[in-house]
Amino acid sequence: MNPQPITPQPGQESVWDYPRPAILQDTNKHLKIIFNGIILAKTTR
């Protein structure tokens, strides 16, 4: 089975909209990664 994109909810972004492979880029945004309701990572740096 191939993965299928999920339509993001308001205020969310989809990883499908970004180039691969991923790049590391500085940001001043608050980032939080959630999977199945569990926070996997969060940072402000």
Side-chain angles (χ1 to χ4, degrees):
M1 178 189 311
N2 291 331
Q4 298 295 316
I6 299 170
T7 303
Q9 300 296 314
Q12 295 180 329
E13 297 180 12
S14 173
V15 297
W16 294 88
D17 295 335
Y18 291 89
R20 289 169 185 78
I23 60 171
L24 179 61
Q25 184 175 16
D26 287 336
T27 182
N28 60 359
K29 294 181 179 180
H30 181 209
L31 302 176
K32 183 167 29 174
I33 300 171
I34 303 170
F35 179 74
N36 281 346
I38 299 170
I39 298 173
L40 300 177
K42 66 179 180 176
T43 185
T44 55
R45 336 183 269 149

